[in-house]
Structure formats: C-alpha cells, structure tokens
Amino acid sequence: AYAGFVQGFQTVGAAMADAGIAERVRALMDAAAATLDPLAGIDFSEYGEALEGRFRNPHLAHETYQIAMDGSQKMPQRVFAPALDALHCGQDIRPFAFATAAWLAYLRGPHDLRDPRAAELAPPTPDHIFNLPNLLPSELKQSRHWRRGVEAALSEF
C-alpha cells in the first residue's frame, strides 16, 4: 500500500498490476515466511500466492490510502519484528528495508496522515523515526546494516 500510494496508485489491485511493486510484495512475503517456524498443514508459499491473488483482484478495490493508515501500529509486528528475526538468522533484510522505506516515503505526504502517532512521525527520516520510543526494537534501530538497507531503499523513492 505504501509503495503503491507513493507511486500514485489509488488501489492495491492497480499497484499490484505494476510488476516492480508486485515483485517487492512477493519478496517481502517470502522473506517474512522464512522467519516463521513451520506449521503443520500450512504451506507458506501457497498462502502467499493466495494473498497475492487477493491483492491483485481489481474488484476488491482496496484503496492504498486506506490500507496505509495506522502504520505506526502495523509496522512493528508486520515489518520490524520479522526484520529483526531475519537479521538474527543472517537472512536478507532488503525486503523489510524496502517496506520501511516505502512507509517513510508515504509519511512525507502531502496528505492527511491517518495515524495515532501522526504528530510524532515528523520529520519522516530514518534518524527521527528510528529513535521514536516504542516503535522499532532497539537492536534493529542500532543495526548499521539495517540503517544502510533502509537508506538505500529510501533513495528509490
């Protein structure tokens, strides 16, 4: 939703029609799945494919702006926690860094930021955001590897 919104897509389906965004979404799902312990009867790859199908469905018309709201509440468990797990396991953190950079680019506006921590999220720079209390795990915000990954991805926006 963040990358789609920043790139001018109104709906998630339209954003997923962009090959670059779709590739990044799949990479993020695969990277997140790689941090999970196996679950009996659950194939994470099949689950990811089902999610992709839902995201691509133009009839659902989920607006990127709507899905992007409340990022300060979603990012910790959906991006930062698995990013830290990936960092611990020596896995690729670039998909998580890209998702974080897309969120930071979204925070730049201009639009009405619908987030309970909106007043705290300015300026939307890595230095400021990484130092907000109760957002990123301390080990992640102290990681130079993580910071470099987010800053490199942010340069794409």
Side-chain angles (χ1 to χ4, degrees), residues 31-37 81-93 96 139 145:
T35 68
L36 301 173
D37 293 329
L84 183 58
D85 291 342
L87 193 65
H88 283 156
C89 296
Q91 296 171 353
D92 188 5
I93 62 162
F96 305 107
E139 189 176 345
H145 181 55

Side-chain angles (χ1 to χ4, degrees), residues 6-121:
V6 169
Q7 293 182 31
F9 294 105
Q10 186 174 358
T11 66
V12 171
M16 287 297 288
D18 179 276
I21 290 176
E23 182 179 320
R24 297 287 192 149
V25 168
R26 186 62 201 196
L28 180 61
M29 288 193 292
D30 290 345
T35 68
L36 301 173
D37 293 329
L39 291 172
I42 303 293
D43 182 319
F44 293 131
S45 182
E46 285 180 13
Y47 183 75
E49 289 173 17
L51 279 177
E52 271 187 274
R54 182 173 165 225
F55 294 160
R56 289 179 189 277
N57 185 339
H59 302 293
L60 293 180
H62 292 299
E63 292 188 10
T64 54
Y65 182 61
Q66 177 189 9
I67 302 301
M69 67 186 280
D70 297 333
S72 69
Q73 307 305 297
K74 296 173 183 175
M75 294 294 288
Q77 69 269 21
R78 295 182 184 173
V79 176
F80 304 147
L84 183 58
D85 291 342
L87 193 65
H88 283 156
C89 296
Q91 296 171 353
D92 188 5
I93 62 162
R94 288 177 297 182
F96 305 107
F98 179 82
T100 302
W103 180 53
L104 293 174
Y106 165 81
L107 292 176
R108 290 179 187 158
H111 53 82
D112 181 28
L113 185 60
R114 297 183 301 177
D115 191 290
R117 295 182 73 176
E120 297 174 74
L121 297 172

